[in-house]
Amino acid sequence: MKILVAIDLSRASQRVMETARALAKALGATVTVAHVADAELEPTAFEAGHDESRRQLAAELRAEHEAVQAHAGLLRGAGIEATGLLLKGPVIATLLREIKRVGADHVVMGSHGRGALFESLVGSTSAGVVRKASVPVTIVPVRPA
């Protein structure tokens, strides 16, 4: 069995990872820890003299990559075969594509539970994945403390 765990690298990711670890242990599953990066370069960053924008983006992506790898490393430390992936693109579409690409049988992700009005106006990553995924999705409620 293969589990894809989608994390946003917020403090809530810890709770999502705990759930994924327990599920992977119980099922003897391998895990792919995935994060879809937010960082985006402004078009002007490619013009001469915008080296700082490119360096800043590179630093952000490096930090996010290291964080994803750290989460995967904790799973490996617990005896679970795990890999970490830093992805780029529209979050829902990118996660759905990755679910298929890695052959995931199950997805674990968090939901911040911001409320019905927010969800109806803005939508939700977890709701979008649940609606369109072809595999079961476990949603971990992660509310601010």
Side-chain angles (χ1 to χ4, degrees):
M1 171 165 252
K2 296 179 183 180
I3 298 172
L4 183 130
V5 183
I7 57 174
D8 63 4
L9 299 179
S10 70
R11 290 187 353 213
S13 294
Q14 181 63 34
R15 185 145 182 238
V16 173
M17 291 301 300
E18 289 167 5
T19 300
R21 183 180 61 240
L23 191 58
K25 279 282 197 186
L27 299 173
T30 62
V31 176
T32 299
V33 180
H35 170 67
V36 181
D38 241 356
E40 194 71 53
L41 267 180
E42 294 295 322
T44 57
F46 294 102
E47 297 173 4
H50 289 272
D51 293 339
E52 186 56 35
S53 295
R54 290 189 297 272
R55 275 193 290 275
Q56 182 178 350
L57 176 64
E60 287 175 31
L61 291 173
R62 193 170 25 260
E64 289 179 5
H65 181 262
E66 289 170 1
V68 170
Q69 295 306 318
H71 281 291
L74 290 172
L75 291 175
R76 287 190 297 273
I80 298 166
E81 185 181 328
T83 57
L85 296 174
L86 180 63
L87 307 168
K88 185 83 179 91
V91 178
I92 295 170
T94 301
L95 288 173
L96 292 168
R97 184 180 63 243
E98 204 59 27
I99 290 165
K100 288 184 190 227
R101 191 189 73 75
V102 301
D105 303 297
H106 197 98
V107 176
V108 177
M109 61 191 308
S111 175
H112 292 282
R114 291 186 176 98
L117 179 60
F118 180 88
E119 300 299 335
S120 67
L121 294 174
V122 179
S124 157
T125 299
S126 55
V129 172
V130 166
R131 278 193 297 272
K132 296 179 180 176
S134 59
V135 299
V137 179
T138 296
I139 301 297
V140 180
V142 286
R143 304 211 191 307

PDB file of all heavy atoms in Angstrom, residues 26-68:
ATOM      1  N   ALA A  26       0.182   0.800  10.741  1.00  0.00           N
ATOM      2  CA  ALA A  26      -0.897  -0.183  10.828  1.00  0.00           C
ATOM      3  C   ALA A  26      -1.072  -0.956   9.524  1.00  0.00           C
ATOM      4  O   ALA A  26      -1.394  -2.147   9.543  1.00  0.00           O
ATOM      5  CB  ALA A  26      -2.216   0.505  11.201  1.00  0.00           C
ATOM      6  N   LEU A  27      -0.832  -0.294   8.385  1.00  0.00           N
ATOM      7  CA  LEU A  27      -1.067  -0.918   7.085  1.00  0.00           C
ATOM      8  C   LEU A  27       0.205  -1.432   6.419  1.00  0.00           C
ATOM      9  O   LEU A  27       0.139  -2.032   5.346  1.00  0.00           O
ATOM     10  CB  LEU A  27      -1.754   0.080   6.152  1.00  0.00           C
ATOM     11  CG  LEU A  27      -3.122   0.589   6.603  1.00  0.00           C
ATOM     12  CD1 LEU A  27      -3.610   1.690   5.679  1.00  0.00           C
ATOM     13  CD2 LEU A  27      -4.121  -0.561   6.653  1.00  0.00           C
ATOM     14  N   GLY A  28       1.353  -1.171   7.026  1.00  0.00           N
ATOM     15  CA  GLY A  28       2.608  -1.560   6.405  1.00  0.00           C
ATOM     16  C   GLY A  28       2.837  -0.823   5.096  1.00  0.00           C
ATOM     17  O   GLY A  28       3.380  -1.372   4.136  1.00  0.00           O
ATOM     18  N   ALA A  29       2.430   0.428   5.047  1.00  0.00           N
ATOM     19  CA  ALA A  29       2.460   1.214   3.818  1.00  0.00           C
ATOM     20  C   ALA A  29       3.764   1.984   3.653  1.00  0.00           C
ATOM     21  O   ALA A  29       4.443   2.300   4.632  1.00  0.00           O
ATOM     22  CB  ALA A  29       1.293   2.202   3.810  1.00  0.00           C
ATOM     23  N   THR A  30       4.081   2.296   2.411  1.00  0.00           N
ATOM     24  CA  THR A  30       5.138   3.260   2.118  1.00  0.00           C
ATOM     25  C   THR A  30       4.473   4.628   1.998  1.00  0.00           C
ATOM     26  O   THR A  30       3.276   4.719   1.714  1.00  0.00           O
ATOM     27  CB  THR A  30       5.875   2.926   0.804  1.00  0.00           C
ATOM     28  OG1 THR A  30       4.951   2.980  -0.275  1.00  0.00           O
ATOM     29  CG2 THR A  30       6.511   1.541   0.870  1.00  0.00           C
ATOM     30  N   VAL A  31       5.250   5.673   2.235  1.00  0.00           N
ATOM     31  CA  VAL A  31       4.681   7.021   2.285  1.00  0.00           C
ATOM     32  C   VAL A  31       5.458   7.977   1.391  1.00  0.00           C
ATOM     33  O   VAL A  31       6.684   7.965   1.381  1.00  0.00           O
ATOM     34  CB  VAL A  31       4.679   7.558   3.735  1.00  0.00           C
ATOM     35  CG1 VAL A  31       4.180   8.994   3.790  1.00  0.00           C
ATOM     36  CG2 VAL A  31       3.849   6.668   4.643  1.00  0.00           C
ATOM     37  N   THR A  32       4.714   8.800   0.680  1.00  0.00           N
ATOM     38  CA  THR A  32       5.278   9.948  -0.037  1.00  0.00           C
ATOM     39  C   THR A  32       4.753  11.191   0.668  1.00  0.00           C
ATOM     40  O   THR A  32       3.540  11.388   0.757  1.00  0.00           O
ATOM     41  CB  THR A  32       4.838   9.960  -1.511  1.00  0.00           C
ATOM     42  OG1 THR A  32       5.312   8.774  -2.147  1.00  0.00           O
ATOM     43  CG2 THR A  32       5.398  11.175  -2.229  1.00  0.00           C
ATOM     44  N   VAL A  33       5.662  11.999   1.193  1.00  0.00           N
ATOM     45  CA  VAL A  33       5.301  13.259   1.826  1.00  0.00           C
ATOM     46  C   VAL A  33       5.434  14.341   0.761  1.00  0.00           C
ATOM     47  O   VAL A  33       6.510  14.524   0.189  1.00  0.00           O
ATOM     48  CB  VAL A  33       6.221  13.583   3.017  1.00  0.00           C
ATOM     49  CG1 VAL A  33       5.827  14.908   3.659  1.00  0.00           C
ATOM     50  CG2 VAL A  33       6.195  12.457   4.037  1.00  0.00           C
ATOM     51  N   ALA A  34       4.337  15.046   0.474  1.00  0.00           N
ATOM     52  CA  ALA A  34       4.338  16.035  -0.605  1.00  0.00           C
ATOM     53  C   ALA A  34       3.910  17.405  -0.100  1.00  0.00           C
ATOM     54  O   ALA A  34       2.991  17.529   0.706  1.00  0.00           O
ATOM     55  CB  ALA A  34       3.396  15.584  -1.717  1.00  0.00           C
ATOM     56  N   HIS A  35       4.608  18.403  -0.601  1.00  0.00           N
ATOM     57  CA  HIS A  35       4.242  19.797  -0.335  1.00  0.00           C
ATOM     58  C   HIS A  35       4.266  20.544  -1.659  1.00  0.00           C
ATOM     59  O   HIS A  35       5.222  20.435  -2.424  1.00  0.00           O
ATOM     60  CB  HIS A  35       5.238  20.438   0.635  1.00  0.00           C
ATOM     61  CG  HIS A  35       5.064  21.930   0.751  1.00  0.00           C
ATOM     62  ND1 HIS A  35       3.942  22.497   1.313  1.00  0.00           N
ATOM     63  CD2 HIS A  35       5.851  22.958   0.350  1.00  0.00           C
ATOM     64  CE1 HIS A  35       4.061  23.823   1.265  1.00  0.00           C
ATOM     65  NE2 HIS A  35       5.212  24.116   0.681  1.00  0.00           N
ATOM     66  N   VAL A  36       3.198  21.292  -1.935  1.00  0.00           N
ATOM     67  CA  VAL A  36       3.142  22.104  -3.150  1.00  0.00           C
ATOM     68  C   VAL A  36       3.599  23.512  -2.767  1.00  0.00           C
ATOM     69  O   VAL A  36       2.967  24.185  -1.961  1.00  0.00           O
ATOM     70  CB  VAL A  36       1.729  22.122  -3.762  1.00  0.00           C
ATOM     71  CG1 VAL A  36       1.721  22.962  -5.038  1.00  0.00           C
ATOM     72  CG2 VAL A  36       1.254  20.703  -4.059  1.00  0.00           C
ATOM     73  N   ALA A  37       4.720  23.920  -3.356  1.00  0.00           N
ATOM     74  CA  ALA A  37       5.337  25.208  -3.014  1.00  0.00           C
ATOM     75  C   ALA A  37       4.488  26.373  -3.489  1.00  0.00           C
ATOM     76  O   ALA A  37       3.894  26.337  -4.564  1.00  0.00           O
ATOM     77  CB  ALA A  37       6.720  25.289  -3.634  1.00  0.00           C
ATOM     78  N   ASP A  38       4.475  27.394  -2.676  1.00  0.00           N
ATOM     79  CA  ASP A  38       3.769  28.638  -2.933  1.00  0.00           C
ATOM     80  C   ASP A  38       4.629  29.649  -3.672  1.00  0.00           C
ATOM     81  O   ASP A  38       4.118  30.498  -4.376  1.00  0.00           O
ATOM     82  CB  ASP A  38       3.442  29.284  -1.576  1.00  0.00           C
ATOM     83  CG  ASP A  38       1.984  29.438  -1.344  1.00  0.00           C
ATOM     84  OD1 ASP A  38       1.202  29.119  -2.231  1.00  0.00           O
ATOM     85  OD2 ASP A  38       1.643  29.889  -0.243  1.00  0.00           O
ATOM     86  N   ALA A  39       5.927  29.561  -3.447  1.00  0.00           N
ATOM     87  CA  ALA A  39       6.856  30.587  -3.914  1.00  0.00           C
ATOM     88  C   ALA A  39       6.728  30.809  -5.420  1.00  0.00           C
ATOM     89  O   ALA A  39       6.658  29.876  -6.199  1.00  0.00           O
ATOM     90  CB  ALA A  39       8.279  30.179  -3.567  1.00  0.00           C
ATOM     91  N   GLU A  40       6.688  32.061  -5.779  1.00  0.00           N
ATOM     92  CA  GLU A  40       6.505  32.428  -7.186  1.00  0.00           C
ATOM     93  C   GLU A  40       7.381  33.641  -7.495  1.00  0.00           C
ATOM     94  O   GLU A  40       7.433  34.585  -6.717  1.00  0.00           O
ATOM     95  CB  GLU A  40       5.038  32.783  -7.427  1.00  0.00           C
ATOM     96  CG  GLU A  40       4.648  32.866  -8.861  1.00  0.00           C
ATOM     97  CD  GLU A  40       4.608  31.506  -9.539  1.00  0.00           C
ATOM     98  OE1 GLU A  40       3.939  30.612  -9.025  1.00  0.00           O
ATOM     99  OE2 GLU A  40       5.249  31.357 -10.577  1.00  0.00           O
ATOM    100  N   LEU A  41       8.061  33.611  -8.603  1.00  0.00           N
ATOM    101  CA  LEU A  41       8.846  34.763  -9.038  1.00  0.00           C
ATOM    102  C   LEU A  41       7.961  35.716  -9.827  1.00  0.00           C
ATOM    103  O   LEU A  41       7.173  35.277 -10.659  1.00  0.00           O
ATOM    104  CB  LEU A  41       9.989  34.312  -9.950  1.00  0.00           C
ATOM    105  CG  LEU A  41      11.333  34.030  -9.322  1.00  0.00           C
ATOM    106  CD1 LEU A  41      12.315  33.605 -10.399  1.00  0.00           C
ATOM    107  CD2 LEU A  41      11.873  35.180  -8.530  1.00  0.00           C
ATOM    108  N   GLU A  42       8.101  36.970  -9.557  1.00  0.00           N
ATOM    109  CA  GLU A  42       7.430  37.981 -10.375  1.00  0.00           C
ATOM    110  C   GLU A  42       8.098  37.980 -11.748  1.00  0.00           C
ATOM    111  O   GLU A  42       9.308  37.772 -11.846  1.00  0.00           O
ATOM    112  CB  GLU A  42       7.566  39.365  -9.726  1.00  0.00           C
ATOM    113  CG  GLU A  42       6.834  39.485  -8.398  1.00  0.00           C
ATOM    114  CD  GLU A  42       5.337  39.358  -8.555  1.00  0.00           C
ATOM    115  OE1 GLU A  42       4.775  39.853  -9.548  1.00  0.00           O
ATOM    116  OE2 GLU A  42       4.717  38.746  -7.669  1.00  0.00           O
ATOM    117  N   PRO A  43       7.359  38.244 -12.817  1.00  0.00           N
ATOM    118  CA  PRO A  43       7.975  38.271 -14.149  1.00  0.00           C
ATOM    119  C   PRO A  43       9.176  39.208 -14.241  1.00  0.00           C
ATOM    120  O   PRO A  43      10.131  38.919 -14.940  1.00  0.00           O
ATOM    121  CB  PRO A  43       6.836  38.741 -15.061  1.00  0.00           C
ATOM    122  CG  PRO A  43       5.590  38.333 -14.338  1.00  0.00           C
ATOM    123  CD  PRO A  43       5.918  38.448 -12.870  1.00  0.00           C
ATOM    124  N   THR A  44       9.160  40.310 -13.490  1.00  0.00           N
ATOM    125  CA  THR A  44      10.279  41.255 -13.536  1.00  0.00           C
ATOM    126  C   THR A  44      11.546  40.680 -12.927  1.00  0.00           C
ATOM    127  O   THR A  44      12.636  41.197 -13.166  1.00  0.00           O
ATOM    128  CB  THR A  44       9.918  42.560 -12.801  1.00  0.00           C
ATOM    129  OG1 THR A  44       9.543  42.238 -11.460  1.00  0.00           O
ATOM    130  CG2 THR A  44       8.794  43.303 -13.500  1.00  0.00           C
ATOM    131  N   ALA A  45      11.439  39.599 -12.155  1.00  0.00           N
ATOM    132  CA  ALA A  45      12.613  39.003 -11.519  1.00  0.00           C
ATOM    133  C   ALA A  45      13.578  38.434 -12.544  1.00  0.00           C
ATOM    134  O   ALA A  45      14.744  38.205 -12.234  1.00  0.00           O
ATOM    135  CB  ALA A  45      12.192  37.923 -10.535  1.00  0.00           C
ATOM    136  N   PHE A  46      13.109  38.212 -13.761  1.00  0.00           N
ATOM    137  CA  PHE A  46      13.978  37.660 -14.797  1.00  0.00           C
ATOM    138  C   PHE A  46      14.737  38.751 -15.543  1.00  0.00           C
ATOM    139  O   PHE A  46      15.575  38.462 -16.375  1.00  0.00           O
ATOM    140  CB  PHE A  46      13.166  36.790 -15.767  1.00  0.00           C
ATOM    141  CG  PHE A  46      12.622  35.565 -15.095  1.00  0.00           C
ATOM    142  CD1 PHE A  46      11.294  35.501 -14.710  1.00  0.00           C
ATOM    143  CD2 PHE A  46      13.446  34.491 -14.808  1.00  0.00           C
ATOM    144  CE1 PHE A  46      10.797  34.377 -14.074  1.00  0.00           C
ATOM    145  CE2 PHE A  46      12.962  33.365 -14.171  1.00  0.00           C
ATOM    146  CZ  PHE A  46      11.635  33.307 -13.799  1.00  0.00           C
ATOM    147  N   GLU A  47      14.425  40.005 -15.249  1.00  0.00           N
ATOM    148  CA  GLU A  47      15.126  41.111 -15.882  1.00  0.00           C
ATOM    149  C   GLU A  47      16.460  41.327 -15.177  1.00  0.00           C
ATOM    150  O   GLU A  47      16.652  40.924 -14.030  1.00  0.00           O
ATOM    151  CB  GLU A  47      14.271  42.383 -15.796  1.00  0.00           C
ATOM    152  CG  GLU A  47      12.961  42.268 -16.545  1.00  0.00           C
ATOM    153  CD  GLU A  47      12.040  43.460 -16.313  1.00  0.00           C
ATOM    154  OE1 GLU A  47      12.445  44.421 -15.627  1.00  0.00           O
ATOM    155  OE2 GLU A  47      10.910  43.415 -16.815  1.00  0.00           O
ATOM    156  N   ALA A  48      17.377  41.989 -15.850  1.00  0.00           N
ATOM    157  CA  ALA A  48      18.687  42.283 -15.271  1.00  0.00           C
ATOM    158  C   ALA A  48      18.523  43.088 -13.987  1.00  0.00           C
ATOM    159  O   ALA A  48      17.634  43.937 -13.872  1.00  0.00           O
ATOM    160  CB  ALA A  48      19.528  43.065 -16.280  1.00  0.00           C
ATOM    161  N   GLY A  49      19.340  42.792 -13.008  1.00  0.00           N
ATOM    162  CA  GLY A  49      19.326  43.551 -11.764  1.00  0.00           C
ATOM    163  C   GLY A  49      18.367  43.030 -10.713  1.00  0.00           C
ATOM    164  O   GLY A  49      18.195  43.662  -9.679  1.00  0.00           O
ATOM    165  N   HIS A  50      17.726  41.901 -10.950  1.00  0.00           N
ATOM    166  CA  HIS A  50      16.769  41.360  -9.984  1.00  0.00           C
ATOM    167  C   HIS A  50      17.294  40.071  -9.347  1.00  0.00           C
ATOM    168  O   HIS A  50      16.533  39.162  -9.038  1.00  0.00           O
ATOM    169  CB  HIS A  50      15.411  41.109 -10.649  1.00  0.00           C
ATOM    170  CG  HIS A  50      14.687  42.375 -10.984  1.00  0.00           C
ATOM    171  ND1 HIS A  50      13.862  43.009 -10.100  1.00  0.00           N
ATOM    172  CD2 HIS A  50      14.718  43.147 -12.104  1.00  0.00           C
ATOM    173  CE1 HIS A  50      13.386  44.107 -10.668  1.00  0.00           C
ATOM    174  NE2 HIS A  50      13.888  44.212 -11.872  1.00  0.00           N
ATOM    175  N   ASP A  51      18.593  40.021  -9.159  1.00  0.00           N
ATOM    176  CA  ASP A  51      19.212  38.822  -8.583  1.00  0.00           C
ATOM    177  C   ASP A  51      18.684  38.525  -7.185  1.00  0.00           C
ATOM    178  O   ASP A  51      18.536  37.364  -6.809  1.00  0.00           O
ATOM    179  CB  ASP A  51      20.735  38.972  -8.526  1.00  0.00           C
ATOM    180  CG  ASP A  51      21.358  39.005  -9.900  1.00  0.00           C
ATOM    181  OD1 ASP A  51      20.710  38.520 -10.853  1.00  0.00           O
ATOM    182  OD2 ASP A  51      22.491  39.512 -10.022  1.00  0.00           O
ATOM    183  N   GLU A  52      18.395  39.549  -6.406  1.00  0.00           N
ATOM    184  CA  GLU A  52      17.937  39.336  -5.027  1.00  0.00           C
ATOM    185  C   GLU A  52      16.606  38.586  -4.990  1.00  0.00           C
ATOM    186  O   GLU A  52      16.400  37.712  -4.155  1.00  0.00           O
ATOM    187  CB  GLU A  52      17.815  40.672  -4.281  1.00  0.00           C
ATOM    188  CG  GLU A  52      17.496  40.511  -2.816  1.00  0.00           C
ATOM    189  CD  GLU A  52      18.491  39.642  -2.053  1.00  0.00           C
ATOM    190  OE1 GLU A  52      19.702  39.682  -2.365  1.00  0.00           O
ATOM    191  OE2 GLU A  52      18.055  38.903  -1.144  1.00  0.00           O
ATOM    192  N   SER A  53      15.680  38.894  -5.897  1.00  0.00           N
ATOM    193  CA  SER A  53      14.396  38.184  -5.959  1.00  0.00           C
ATOM    194  C   SER A  53      14.615  36.708  -6.240  1.00  0.00           C
ATOM    195  O   SER A  53      13.984  35.849  -5.623  1.00  0.00           O
ATOM    196  CB  SER A  53      13.500  38.774  -7.054  1.00  0.00           C
ATOM    197  OG  SER A  53      13.142  40.080  -6.748  1.00  0.00           O
ATOM    198  N   ARG A  54      15.514  36.416  -7.172  1.00  0.00           N
ATOM    199  CA  ARG A  54      15.795  35.013  -7.500  1.00  0.00           C
ATOM    200  C   ARG A  54      16.459  34.301  -6.328  1.00  0.00           C
ATOM    201  O   ARG A  54      16.134  33.160  -6.030  1.00  0.00           O
ATOM    202  CB  ARG A  54      16.647  34.931  -8.769  1.00  0.00           C
ATOM    203  CG  ARG A  54      15.871  35.324 -10.025  1.00  0.00           C
ATOM    204  CD  ARG A  54      16.652  35.030 -11.281  1.00  0.00           C
ATOM    205  NE  ARG A  54      17.882  35.770 -11.395  1.00  0.00           N
ATOM    206  CZ  ARG A  54      18.006  36.982 -11.944  1.00  0.00           C
ATOM    207  NH1 ARG A  54      16.941  37.580 -12.428  1.00  0.00           N
ATOM    208  NH2 ARG A  54      19.173  37.572 -12.031  1.00  0.00           N
ATOM    209  N   ARG A  55      17.388  34.984  -5.647  1.00  0.00           N
ATOM    210  CA  ARG A  55      18.058  34.376  -4.480  1.00  0.00           C
ATOM    211  C   ARG A  55      17.049  34.109  -3.358  1.00  0.00           C
ATOM    212  O   ARG A  55      17.093  33.077  -2.705  1.00  0.00           O
ATOM    213  CB  ARG A  55      19.186  35.264  -3.981  1.00  0.00           C
ATOM    214  CG  ARG A  55      20.494  35.054  -4.719  1.00  0.00           C
ATOM    215  CD  ARG A  55      21.649  35.710  -3.981  1.00  0.00           C
ATOM    216  NE  ARG A  55      21.581  37.157  -4.025  1.00  0.00           N
ATOM    217  CZ  ARG A  55      22.055  37.909  -5.017  1.00  0.00           C
ATOM    218  NH1 ARG A  55      22.632  37.359  -6.053  1.00  0.00           N
ATOM    219  NH2 ARG A  55      21.961  39.217  -4.966  1.00  0.00           N
ATOM    220  N   GLN A  56      16.140  35.054  -3.148  1.00  0.00           N
ATOM    221  CA  GLN A  56      15.135  34.890  -2.100  1.00  0.00           C
ATOM    222  C   GLN A  56      14.226  33.702  -2.405  1.00  0.00           C
ATOM    223  O   GLN A  56      13.935  32.890  -1.526  1.00  0.00           O
ATOM    224  CB  GLN A  56      14.314  36.157  -1.931  1.00  0.00           C
ATOM    225  CG  GLN A  56      13.290  36.050  -0.808  1.00  0.00           C
ATOM    226  CD  GLN A  56      12.512  37.335  -0.630  1.00  0.00           C
ATOM    227  OE1 GLN A  56      12.828  38.376  -1.195  1.00  0.00           O
ATOM    228  NE2 GLN A  56      11.459  37.259   0.167  1.00  0.00           N
ATOM    229  N   LEU A  57      13.779  33.582  -3.643  1.00  0.00           N
ATOM    230  CA  LEU A  57      12.938  32.451  -4.036  1.00  0.00           C
ATOM    231  C   LEU A  57      13.696  31.139  -3.854  1.00  0.00           C
ATOM    232  O   LEU A  57      13.158  30.173  -3.321  1.00  0.00           O
ATOM    233  CB  LEU A  57      12.463  32.584  -5.473  1.00  0.00           C
ATOM    234  CG  LEU A  57      11.659  31.388  -5.991  1.00  0.00           C
ATOM    235  CD1 LEU A  57      10.354  31.233  -5.218  1.00  0.00           C
ATOM    236  CD2 LEU A  57      11.391  31.526  -7.475  1.00  0.00           C
ATOM    237  N   ALA A  58      14.948  31.120  -4.276  1.00  0.00           N
ATOM    238  CA  ALA A  58      15.755  29.903  -4.133  1.00  0.00           C
ATOM    239  C   ALA A  58      15.890  29.521  -2.658  1.00  0.00           C
ATOM    240  O   ALA A  58      15.789  28.339  -2.300  1.00  0.00           O
ATOM    241  CB  ALA A  58      17.126  30.096  -4.768  1.00  0.00           C
ATOM    242  N   ALA A  59      16.081  30.506  -1.800  1.00  0.00           N
ATOM    243  CA  ALA A  59      16.201  30.230  -0.363  1.00  0.00           C
ATOM    244  C   ALA A  59      14.893  29.680   0.203  1.00  0.00           C
ATOM    245  O   ALA A  59      14.899  28.747   1.011  1.00  0.00           O
ATOM    246  CB  ALA A  59      16.611  31.507   0.382  1.00  0.00           C
ATOM    247  N   GLU A  60      13.761  30.245  -0.228  1.00  0.00           N
ATOM    248  CA  GLU A  60      12.456  29.757   0.230  1.00  0.00           C
ATOM    249  C   GLU A  60      12.234  28.308  -0.208  1.00  0.00           C
ATOM    250  O   GLU A  60      11.802  27.464   0.584  1.00  0.00           O
ATOM    251  CB  GLU A  60      11.324  30.622  -0.334  1.00  0.00           C
ATOM    252  CG  GLU A  60      11.199  31.989   0.287  1.00  0.00           C
ATOM    253  CD  GLU A  60      10.138  32.836  -0.414  1.00  0.00           C
ATOM    254  OE1 GLU A  60       9.146  32.271  -0.926  1.00  0.00           O
ATOM    255  OE2 GLU A  60      10.313  34.066  -0.452  1.00  0.00           O
ATOM    256  N   LEU A  61      12.523  28.030  -1.463  1.00  0.00           N
ATOM    257  CA  LEU A  61      12.325  26.668  -1.970  1.00  0.00           C
ATOM    258  C   LEU A  61      13.269  25.684  -1.295  1.00  0.00           C
ATOM    259  O   LEU A  61      12.883  24.563  -0.976  1.00  0.00           O
ATOM    260  CB  LEU A  61      12.511  26.641  -3.492  1.00  0.00           C
ATOM    261  CG  LEU A  61      11.427  27.355  -4.288  1.00  0.00           C
ATOM    262  CD1 LEU A  61      11.798  27.405  -5.765  1.00  0.00           C
ATOM    263  CD2 LEU A  61      10.068  26.711  -4.087  1.00  0.00           C
ATOM    264  N   ARG A  62      14.509  26.103  -1.042  1.00  0.00           N
ATOM    265  CA  ARG A  62      15.471  25.240  -0.346  1.00  0.00           C
ATOM    266  C   ARG A  62      14.967  24.916   1.068  1.00  0.00           C
ATOM    267  O   ARG A  62      14.996  23.773   1.509  1.00  0.00           O
ATOM    268  CB  ARG A  62      16.839  25.911  -0.311  1.00  0.00           C
ATOM    269  CG  ARG A  62      17.972  25.025   0.103  1.00  0.00           C
ATOM    270  CD  ARG A  62      19.370  25.647  -0.090  1.00  0.00           C
ATOM    271  NE  ARG A  62      19.452  27.098  -0.099  1.00  0.00           N
ATOM    272  CZ  ARG A  62      19.543  27.856  -1.195  1.00  0.00           C
ATOM    273  NH1 ARG A  62      19.553  27.309  -2.389  1.00  0.00           N
ATOM    274  NH2 ARG A  62      19.624  29.172  -1.103  1.00  0.00           N
ATOM    275  N   ALA A  63      14.458  25.927   1.769  1.00  0.00           N
ATOM    276  CA  ALA A  63      13.944  25.713   3.135  1.00  0.00           C
ATOM    277  C   ALA A  63      12.728  24.786   3.118  1.00  0.00           C
ATOM    278  O   ALA A  63      12.603  23.898   3.975  1.00  0.00           O
ATOM    279  CB  ALA A  63      13.575  27.056   3.773  1.00  0.00           C
ATOM    280  N   GLU A  64      11.835  24.963   2.151  1.00  0.00           N
ATOM    281  CA  GLU A  64      10.666  24.097   2.053  1.00  0.00           C
ATOM    282  C   GLU A  64      11.081  22.662   1.721  1.00  0.00           C
ATOM    283  O   GLU A  64      10.550  21.703   2.289  1.00  0.00           O
ATOM    284  CB  GLU A  64       9.681  24.637   1.015  1.00  0.00           C
ATOM    285  CG  GLU A  64       8.989  25.900   1.466  1.00  0.00           C
ATOM    286  CD  GLU A  64       8.022  26.464   0.444  1.00  0.00           C
ATOM    287  OE1 GLU A  64       7.794  25.833  -0.607  1.00  0.00           O
ATOM    288  OE2 GLU A  64       7.470  27.551   0.704  1.00  0.00           O
ATOM    289  N   HIS A  65      12.055  22.520   0.823  1.00  0.00           N
ATOM    290  CA  HIS A  65      12.546  21.188   0.468  1.00  0.00           C
ATOM    291  C   HIS A  65      13.148  20.498   1.691  1.00  0.00           C
ATOM    292  O   HIS A  65      12.883  19.319   1.953  1.00  0.00           O
ATOM    293  CB  HIS A  65      13.579  21.292  -0.655  1.00  0.00           C
ATOM    294  CG  HIS A  65      14.111  19.975  -1.087  1.00  0.00           C
ATOM    295  ND1 HIS A  65      15.306  19.474  -0.639  1.00  0.00           N
ATOM    296  CD2 HIS A  65      13.597  19.035  -1.914  1.00  0.00           C
ATOM    297  CE1 HIS A  65      15.513  18.288  -1.178  1.00  0.00           C
ATOM    298  NE2 HIS A  65      14.490  17.996  -1.942  1.00  0.00           N
ATOM    299  N   GLU A  66      13.947  21.227   2.445  1.00  0.00           N
ATOM    300  CA  GLU A  66      14.558  20.663   3.652  1.00  0.00           C
ATOM    301  C   GLU A  66      13.498  20.252   4.667  1.00  0.00           C
ATOM    302  O   GLU A  66      13.616  19.209   5.316  1.00  0.00           O
ATOM    303  CB  GLU A  66      15.541  21.653   4.264  1.00  0.00           C
ATOM    304  CG  GLU A  66      16.798  21.820   3.429  1.00  0.00           C
ATOM    305  CD  GLU A  66      17.684  22.971   3.880  1.00  0.00           C
ATOM    306  OE1 GLU A  66      17.343  23.657   4.886  1.00  0.00           O
ATOM    307  OE2 GLU A  66      18.723  23.190   3.232  1.00  0.00           O
ATOM    308  N   ALA A  67      12.450  21.052   4.805  1.00  0.00           N
ATOM    309  CA  ALA A  67      11.374  20.726   5.749  1.00  0.00           C
ATOM    310  C   ALA A  67      10.637  19.453   5.334  1.00  0.00           C
ATOM    311  O   ALA A  67      10.338  18.592   6.166  1.00  0.00           O
ATOM    312  CB  ALA A  67      10.394  21.900   5.873  1.00  0.00           C
ATOM    313  N   VAL A  68      10.351  19.326   4.045  1.00  0.00           N
ATOM    314  CA  VAL A  68       9.674  18.120   3.545  1.00  0.00           C
ATOM    315  C   VAL A  68      10.565  16.899   3.780  1.00  0.00           C
ATOM    316  O   VAL A  68      10.099  15.851   4.232  1.00  0.00           O
ATOM    317  CB  VAL A  68       9.310  18.266   2.045  1.00  0.00           C
ATOM    318  CG1 VAL A  68       8.835  16.952   1.463  1.00  0.00           C
ATOM    319  CG2 VAL A  68       8.244  19.343   1.871  1.00  0.00           C
TER     320      VAL A  68
END
